[in-house]
Amino acid sequence: PCTTDSCSAGQCVHSGACPPTGNVALDAASVRTACAGAAGDSITLTGVPVGSQADRILVVTVGAEENNADCNLSLASASATYGGIVMSKAVNRVSNTSSWRTCNGIFYLLNPPAGTANVVINFPTTGNASLIDNRHAGAFVLFNAAQQAPEVTATAGANATTNPVNTAITPLTGGGVVV
């Protein structure tokens, strides 16, 4: 219980802000996905709902396939916004630096405002005449989560579709979540 709690007749009242309790959890109602096969340099997840749970983090995963350098989410021009609020980039990976490549990234927003808004992901434009093919994205909200940047990140990429890509990551904090 919080130090500001008071209890009377079996009812507890919280008169102040309490630290997060419980495990990190997924707000299942927040899950949204989108994909686009027509060439373009952005993708939009429409109507992403954010509840009013304590200690929220909005997480956006994005990926694409393209045959040039535009498919590189490590470039500064790669961005994601929620209702116009710029999201932080947690990690990104490119499978190859030549020919057809896949690029993936994860963005996050600590304590996003409750409500519903669009998430817009902009892929970098490097001056190549082509747009990004095969873009996809997903968004979800975690709650009861520490309001901080990721403790550790790890990525892996491969140029083959027939072999699984594996990597290892160990959270530094007990109860940490791997996305």
Side-chain angles (χ1 to χ4, degrees), residues 23 30 32 39 50 56 58-59 61 63 70-71 77-78 88 104 117 121 127 134 137 141 144 149 156 158 166 172:
N23 294 325
S30 70
R32 296 292 184 271
V50 173
R56 301 178 302 277
L58 173 61
V59 179
T61 63
D70 283 351
C71 193
S77 57
S88 298
N104 300 286
I121 299 103
N134 303 322
V141 174
N144 290 334
N166 297 305
L172 300 178

Side-chain angles (χ1 to χ4, degrees), residues 46-143:
T46 57
V48 177
V50 173
S52 58
Q53 303 94 335
D55 301 306
R56 301 178 302 277
I57 299 178
L58 173 61
V59 179
V60 173
T61 63
V62 61
E65 180 182 31
E66 183 55 49
N67 66 345
N68 62 41
D70 283 351
C71 193
N72 187 346
L73 292 169
S74 69
L75 297 174
S77 57
S79 66
T81 59
Y82 172 71
I85 301 169
V86 176
M87 300 180 72
S88 298
K89 193 181 310 178
V91 67
N92 58 78
R93 180 69 178 208
V94 177
S95 65
N96 190 0
T97 57
S98 63
S99 188
W100 280 90
R101 63 171 81 200
T102 59
C103 59
N104 300 286
I106 299 175
F107 295 86
Y108 67 95
L109 180 61
L110 301 177
N111 197 26
T116 301
N118 292 343
V119 170
V120 178
I121 299 103
N122 291 304
F123 289 85
T125 54
T126 61
N128 293 320
S130 65
L131 301 173
I132 301 288
D133 297 321
N134 303 322
R135 298 168 323 281
H136 54 271
F140 56 91
V141 174
L142 299 173
F143 60 95

Side-chain angles (χ1 to χ4, degrees), residues 1-16 18:
C2 303
T3 57
T4 57
D5 288 356
S6 63
C7 294
S8 174
Q11 298 293 318
C12 292
V13 176
H14 301 286
S15 59
C18 299

